[in-house]
Amino acid sequence: MPEIRHILPQESTVEAELIERAFAAGPYGHLPKSAERRDFERDTAGRAASGAVLVSVDNAGQVTGSASVLRAATPYSRVAVPGEAEIRLLAVDPATQGAGLGKALMRASLEAALEWGADALVLDTGAANTRAQALYERLGFDRVPAREAAVSSVEVEALVYRYALQQRDDVQVRLMRDDEAVFVSELVESAYAVDFTLTDDYRASIAAVGERARDHQVWVATDAASGALLGTVSTPRPGKAISPLAREGELDFRFLGVAAEARRSGIGALLVEHVLLLGRLRGVHRIVLNTGPEMVSAQRLYERLGFERLHEREFHFTRSDGSSFLMLAYGRESADATDAAAESSAA
């Protein structure tokens, strides 16, 4: 997988030049470019201020692709409605096309929008850009014809695509903010104490939310109307693991917890579904987790959502007080892996 990260200030000129080359080689490269469009392509800093500019880089550190992920109602956003994020200027250096960089940049853009808690990621593309359309449709985007007339012109018939990121209208899932760390720590510690015997060491590990967020992703489910914290789960950054359980091509998660007042309202299932969505966006083939034998309600949830025991990965864990228990392991194949296998067999 290529390295994809936020652009560095010194890469702005290179990124703008790459965008110009990529679009010149595309199906609309013959059209004259307006001054407004030229300024848009060159304003890397302005695009970054409106959201994020992501770049793919090769082993030598050279920029090979770019994508601008914009928040709705910012200067360069044009099809996103409030609550959505928008991707523009997806560009891959013509010299490196065909290596899957466009797909990787799209996946990273979807995850960036997911981290913000966006309702969806939207985009528009020209009807003649059939290669891009095929990519969006393979990734699971849906057409939104009702929005197309507003961004079409005499020269370019625009098609609008949308990828839904939130699963419920009344709950928003996003990354935890720094000022929420204390509250999330209290939430997850209380949730674990209901079903699990906590040693001092394990209690400290569960409660170390601020430290965990520096290296991993701490997600929160919040009430969409009031902003109240309802639950949390933690996942690793792309290409990393949050526990020894995960193997290459897998996504693991830990510290799933639901606030006492939100129990039996589907928040636990929603957060697990969120992890499954994250797995699809990253293209992993399996989602895995560990859980203790005392956490029976969690085990029922995982099994209801299609997880199965991974007996060969289970082990006896010894607590600091000398007692021990069998650490259970669960896994579920990713929908992305299932879809890929179906495509392969059909080909």
Side-chain angles (χ1 to χ4, degrees):
M1 291 294 292
E3 179 188 2
I4 297 179
R5 56 166 171 75
H6 289 257
I7 195 168
L8 303 175
Q10 62 267 31
E11 295 169 331
S12 296
T13 299
V14 171
E15 188 253 2
E17 292 172 348
L18 182 150
I19 290 171
E20 185 171 7
R21 289 197 306 277
F23 279 86
Y28 297 101
H30 62 286
L31 295 178
K33 185 180 295 186
S34 68
E36 180 183 12
R37 171 71 183 203
R38 193 178 304 277
D39 290 344
F40 170 47
E41 293 181 1
R42 293 176 177 177
D43 188 13
T44 308
R47 287 183 273 115
S50 294
V53 174
L54 305 178
V55 292
S56 60
V57 295
D58 62 19
N59 292 334
Q62 299 299 307
V63 175
T64 55
S66 175
S68 296
V69 190
L70 311 172
R71 298 180 185 272
T74 53
Y76 292 128
S77 172
R78 63 178 181 178
V79 297
V81 300
E84 294 179 338
E86 179 173 350
I87 181 170
R88 297 195 66 187
L89 297 181
L90 175 67
V92 174
D93 192 317
T96 59
Q97 287 183 1
L101 294 182
K103 184 176 183 180
L105 284 161
M106 285 298 302
R107 288 187 185 278
S109 298
L110 282 160
E111 186 163 341
L114 189 68
E115 290 183 339
W116 297 345
D119 296 334
L121 182 67
V122 296
L123 60 90
D124 70 273
T125 188
N129 198 350
T130 55
R131 186 174 181 178
Q133 294 163 38
L135 169 62
Y136 306 145
E137 290 166 6
R138 283 198 306 273
L139 288 172
F141 280 78
D142 296 314
R143 279 273 306 276
V144 189
R147 301 196 199 180
E148 294 174 351
V151 288
S152 293
S153 66
V154 175
E155 297 85 3
V156 180
E157 177 191 355
L159 307 181
V160 174
Y161 286 85
R162 185 179 191 271
Y163 192 111
L165 294 170
Q166 299 294 326
Q167 301 166 68
R168 283 172 49 172
D169 293 338
D170 61 331
V171 180
Q172 180 193 48
V173 181
R174 56 166 172 79
L175 282 191
M176 179 191 74
R177 297 191 298 263
D178 291 343
D179 62 355
E180 295 171 323
V182 172
F183 304 102
V184 174
S185 177
E186 294 172 352
L187 184 158
V188 69
E189 183 180 348
S190 298
Y192 268 63
V194 172
D195 298 316
F196 203 76
T197 302
L198 301 180
T199 63
D200 290 342
D201 290 345
Y202 194 38
R203 186 183 299 274
S205 175
I206 293 169
V209 172
E211 292 86 343
R212 188 153 59 246
R214 286 198 289 267
D215 297 321
H216 305 295
Q217 294 166 310
V218 177
W219 302 93
V220 292
T222 65
D223 184 281
S226 68
L229 292 172
L230 305 175
T232 182
V233 69
S234 296
T235 57
R237 296 284 175 185
K240 307 294 183 181
I242 199 171
S243 73
L245 176 67
R247 298 175 180 174
E248 186 175 355
E250 296 180 340
L251 170 65
D252 57 339
F253 68 95
R254 296 189 68 189
F255 305 113
L256 174 68
V258 177
E261 61 273 18
R263 291 189 173 185
R264 290 177 291 279
S265 61
I267 299 301
L270 176 74
L271 286 166
V272 177
E273 291 286 1
H274 175 81
V275 176
L276 294 171
L277 169 59
L278 186 62
R280 291 197 296 275
L281 299 186
R282 293 187 185 175
V284 303
H285 68 266
R286 184 182 291 118
I287 313 298
V288 296
L289 66 108
N290 282 127
T291 189
E294 296 170 304
M295 304 187 78
V296 177
S297 58
Q299 295 163 33
R300 290 172 179 163
L301 169 63
Y302 302 140
E303 291 167 1
R304 190 169 72 247
L305 293 176
F307 285 80
E308 297 179 347
R309 289 274 295 275
L310 302 175
H311 295 282
E312 72 282 3
R313 302 199 202 180
E314 297 178 349
F315 62 95
H316 282 87
F317 179 82
T318 302
R319 299 186 180 97
S320 57
D321 63 4
S323 62
S324 65
F325 63 90
L326 180 66
M327 183 70 79
L328 308 182
Y330 280 84
R332 173 183 151 166
E333 297 300 306
S334 170
D336 188 84
T338 304
D339 294 343
E343 289 178 7
S344 177
S345 62

